[in-house]
Amino acid sequence: MTPEHGPRTEAEPAVAVRQVSRVILLDPDDRILLLHGFEPDDPTETWWFTPGGGLEGEETREEAARRELAEETGITDVVLGPVLWKRRCAFPFDGRRWEQDEWYYLARTDRTATHTEGQTALERRSVSGLKWWTSEELSASHETVYPTRLAELLRTLLDEGPPSAPVLLETERA
């Protein structure tokens, strides 16, 4: 069964759920690092998102979070904290459908300089830059940001600290 359309047909193969680790990376001034992405076939379709990506081989979620952060930002000297949030999402990107189970880790760093030499070929075709955002800038922005409630979630994190257990976010489907 597909959630929106009822029983799956032969033309609709099941999409494997990709296990993903994402990082809420904060600097000493509590700014969050986001990547600016776009659809490779339509560079006018843009959004901001947190560093992270799919698990590879037998690596743990924590190992994937650290590897992805290093590949996408060049930042390796982080203190990786607890899992803040979990969410399921589904979206079209680069000609295919993605179904993801995402875990968002808190991380802190003193380093704000980034480099993107470790990005994959797909990331080089779909990421146009990185930016450190204040909570106020994120709240005032009218740009698309994923997860969609990130400004509110960040404000709560900064005001109250990490939750005692990961918060399950609403499923997002595009």
Side-chain angles (χ1 to χ4, degrees), residues 112-143:
T112 57
T114 61
H115 68 79
T116 57
E117 288 81 20
Q119 290 185 347
T120 66
L122 177 58
E123 289 163 345
R124 286 191 298 276
R125 289 190 311 116
S126 63
V127 175
S128 61
L130 301 94
K131 177 182 171 184
W132 289 97
W133 295 71
T134 66
S135 175
E136 294 76 18
E137 289 170 332
L138 196 56
S139 292
S141 176
H142 296 291
E143 295 188 65

Side-chain angles (χ1 to χ4, degrees), residues 42-60:
D42 182 5
T44 64
E45 186 179 335
T46 67
W47 56 86
W48 292 91
F49 64 102
T50 61
L55 277 63
E56 293 181 357
E58 299 296 315
E59 75 184 345
T60 66

